[in-house]
Amino acid sequence: MPKKESALNNELIELLQGEKIVSLITTDKDTQKPNLSIVSWLIAYEDGKTIKFALGHKAESAFNIQHNPHLILGVVGAGSCYSINGKGKVSDIIDKTMKYRIVTVEVEEVEDVIFYGGKITQEPDYIKTYDMDLAKKLDEEVYDLLKS
């Protein structure tokens, strides 16, 4: 992938189909300093210009994006590390098993940010440490919302 692109390539679209550890950097609405959080409920759309992710309805990141829509998604995978810059739009509260907000990101720039000569050989992985039945229910619910 060239250094900077205006959309996700097919490999990144395929990678970003949920259950990934993705860094979310927003600007804190009060301090104006960078704020880092992690999201895993996300879907990249085939157009390469749209990503949606879910947050809890009281997530500080949602309030930050409402105040300043510019954000960065940090992705480790597809052999490298990527910075995805875009603008986010936060949904109203969606009341299901839990209360969510969906953030729709308009991708503006994708940059390969791995250091010279570096290549990712193993992607980060995680496990859910809460009730597996609840995890499955929440996952199904969220991905239905993200795909709509």
Side-chain angles (χ1 to χ4, degrees):
M1 177 175 190
K3 198 66 174 159
K4 291 184 182 181
E5 295 290 335
S6 61
L8 302 170
N9 65 25
N10 288 336
E11 195 173 12
L12 279 173
I13 293 168
E14 188 175 314
L15 176 73
L16 297 176
Q17 294 302 312
E19 300 303 311
K20 297 292 178 194
I21 296 173
V22 174
S23 300
L24 170 62
I25 301 169
T26 59
T27 302
D28 185 279
K29 65 181 177 36
D30 297 320
T31 67
Q32 302 306 302
K33 293 180 180 179
N35 179 275
L36 173 66
S37 60
I38 302 296
V39 296
S40 64
W41 281 327
L42 77 160
I43 294 284
Y45 281 69
E46 288 184 19
D47 65 3
K49 296 292 287 179
T50 307
I51 298 171
K52 287 186 179 183
F53 60 88
L55 299 169
H57 76 290
K58 291 184 179 179
E60 193 65 29
S61 296
F63 299 117
N64 291 343
I65 295 165
Q66 286 175 321
H67 189 267
N68 178 346
H70 296 279
L71 57 82
I72 297 173
L73 294 170
V75 176
V76 176
S80 198
C81 297
Y82 298 91
S83 174
I84 302 168
N85 285 266
K87 286 184 183 171
K89 182 177 179 186
V90 181
S91 75
D92 291 334
I93 295 172
I94 301 165
D95 194 355
K96 298 278 191 180
T97 302
M98 63 180 262
K99 292 179 181 179
Y100 308 98
R101 290 186 184 263
I102 303 298
V103 178
T104 303
V105 178
E106 176 189 335
V107 174
E108 296 177 331
E109 184 177 84
V110 180
E111 184 175 7
D112 185 336
V113 293
I114 192 79
F115 51 86
Y116 176 77
K119 180 178 173 123
I120 298 298
T121 59
Q122 184 174 346
E123 294 177 18
D125 199 8
Y126 67 95
I127 61 169
K128 295 176 182 171
T129 59
Y130 58 99
D131 179 273
M132 287 299 118
D133 290 334
L134 177 59
K136 182 179 180 191
K137 181 178 183 178
L138 292 173
D139 287 348
E140 289 172 358
E141 194 171 88
V142 167
Y143 287 111
D144 283 347
L145 290 170
L146 293 176
K147 291 175 183 175
S148 61

